[in-house]
Structure formats: C-alpha cells, structure tokens
Amino acid sequence: EAQVTQNPRYLITVTGKKLTVTCSQNMNHEYMSWYRQDPGLGLRQIYYSMNVEVTDKGDVPEGYKVSRKEKRNFPLILESPSPNQTSLYFCASSFLGDNREGYTFGSGTRLTVV
Amino acid sequence: AQSVSQHNHHVILSEAASLELGCNYSYGGTVNLFWYVQYPGQHLQLLLKYFSEDPLVKGIKGFEAEFIKSKFSFNLRKPSVQWSDTAEYFCAVISGGGADGLTFGKGTHLIIQP
C-alpha cells in the first residue's frame, strides 16, 4: 500500500530534550515536506526536500532541522524543543514537477512540549 | 509569495442543507488547486483537485468545486450535506513546478447538526 509513515503518533517531552520524528514513504517520491498544523493558522510548511541531500526552508523553519540521506526518509529534528513547538506535525510527499495527485500525507504526530 | 484565503473559519449547517466554502488565492500564473478534508483525529485526505481541465471539478463524497480564474477563486460546494461531513476543510494551491510546496488556507471547521 502506498503510504507515508510517521512515528511516533503521540509524543510528550520536556523543554530542551532533543527529539526526532521519523517520516518514510514507499512511493519513490522525490519531494518530501514537513508541515505543522495549529488552530486558526492552518498548515504551515517547515522544511522541504526536492531530492536526496537537497533541503530548503519553508515558512516556519526556526527551531527545526531536517536531513535527506535516503530518498524514502525525511526525519524532522528538534534539537532543543520549546513549548511553542507544541503542535500537530504532518509529513507529506509527492512526485516533483507532477502535482496531479497532490500530496500524500502521513497520519500526523501530535507533539506536546512541557 | 502566494497566499490562500478561506473566508469562513467556522460553519454550522443542518443536515440536507447546501454548502459552499469560499477559497481565493493570490498567485496570478498557472496554478493547481486542491481541497483537502481532515476528519476528527485523522490526517488530510484529498477531496478534489483542479489541473487546467474543466473548471468544474467533481470529487469524492458528492463534493465539487468551480475554478473561476478571473476571480482567483476555487469554491467548494455540496448540494446536500450529511452529519458525516463534519470535518475541517483546507483549500491549497501549488504554483509553477511545485518546488515551494502546497500553500494552505487556514481551514474551515464545518459542523453538521443532525
């Protein structure tokens, strides 16, 4: 089954404790992206990647890092999480240059930073 | 940078009422347009998409949307809503080759009362 898999689904952590949210897709998509969803703000792009070793900042990159060492994986790293990073995070992927199918989204990771 | 405006943040309707959710985008060039739905506790699912074909697009679950280029609009419609349509609805746009990713509106929270 074609899908984007995120882990974990739920995470509660303390301020300053480094964490990684994993994202993996099995569709051979070049393009992968991370969004955060906050009430009243919709989804905002954090980082995106157009291919292996090619990443770029989205609209709200502060406090986040990403890496793209393999085509299928695109982990989101919070080196020193803060409470304002409490949010619902979605990973998405698509073919680059062909948007006819839109994006495929993961199931989301609900992060709480206390 | 492009932007997407959804005019109604919260909509409450009774079952069998007709629905129209407004969406306007700012980009003047070639765009691909999407409506996504997010049921409570779930990830985003594609409802319908527009790709320079018939401006009236039909999607899943009886939804449709009309692309009006002169008005930069892509409004979502359904003739008769059901209680199961209660969800959050997001309009989104990709411009050009899509490298910048999807830009989302802030979402419309739709509640259908039985």
Side-chain angles (χ1 to χ4, degrees):
Chain A
E1 181 189 352
Q3 60 184 357
V4 176
T5 303
Q6 286 178 236
N7 280 297
R9 289 292 306 276
Y10 301 91
L11 180 59
I12 301 174
T13 191
V14 296
T15 298
K17 185 176 181 182
K18 180 179 179 180
L19 66 92
T20 299
V21 183
T22 63
C23 174
S24 180
Q25 51 92 6
N26 61 1
M27 296 163 282
N28 204 34
H29 286 164
E30 301 92 358
Y31 190 94
M32 297 186 74
S33 181
W34 276 102
Y35 289 85
R36 61 177 287 174
Q37 182 182 4
D38 301 289
L41 298 178
L43 283 88
R44 295 175 293 168
Q45 191 177 51
I46 303 170
Y47 268 94
Y48 63 92
S49 169
M50 289 193 281
N51 217 322
V52 176
E53 302 291 2
V54 181
T55 64
D56 210 343
K57 296 177 180 179
D59 298 319
V60 288
E62 294 77 21
Y64 304 95
K65 285 175 56 177
V66 293
S67 69
R68 189 91 181 273
K69 293 184 169 55
E70 305 164 281
K71 195 172 188 178
R72 62 184 292 126
N73 296 324
F74 190 47
L76 179 70
I77 303 155
L78 284 73
E79 295 270 5
S80 182
S82 62
N84 64 11
Q85 292 178 298
T86 292
S87 187
L88 179 58
Y89 292 86
F90 288 102
C91 181
S93 71
S94 75
F95 288 114
L96 188 63
D98 181 355
N99 304 308
R100 281 172 291 179
E101 296 307 311
Y103 286 13
T104 301
F105 283 86
S107 299
T109 296
R110 186 166 292 280
L111 172 66
T112 302
V113 183
V114 298
Chain B
Q2 61 194 345
S3 64
V4 177
S5 298
Q6 290 182 241
H7 312 299
N8 315 101
H9 298 302
H10 297 277
V11 173
I12 301 175
L13 295 172
S14 299
E15 276 191 306
S18 65
L19 170 71
E20 180 160 1
L21 301 182
C23 172
N24 287 91
Y25 62 95
S26 63
Y27 187 71
T30 302
V31 293
N32 301 136
L33 296 155
F34 305 83
W35 275 97
Y36 282 87
V37 61
Q38 185 180 33
Y39 297 104
Q42 296 189 27
H43 61 93
L44 283 86
Q45 300 173 41
L46 184 64
L47 260 185
L48 48 78
K49 57 193 177 186
Y50 169 76
F51 277 89
S52 45
E53 301 131 2
D54 187 338
L56 185 60
V57 179
K58 294 197 182 296
I60 61 172
K61 304 187 182 191
F63 286 91
E64 63 180 32
E66 185 174 12
F67 172 58
I68 303 179
K69 188 174 182 179
S70 60
K71 295 184 179 180
F72 296 87
S73 70
F74 190 55
N75 293 353
L76 181 71
R77 300 196 293 244
K78 186 171 184 178
S80 176
V81 294
Q82 302 170 301
W83 176 80
S84 58
D85 292 325
T86 294
E88 187 122 20
Y89 292 81
F90 293 95
C91 182
V93 61
I94 288 180
S95 60
D100 291 338
L102 274 169
T103 298
F104 284 88
K106 293 183 178 180
T108 297
H109 188 200
L110 175 65
I111 297 174
I112 306 300
Q113 296 176 328

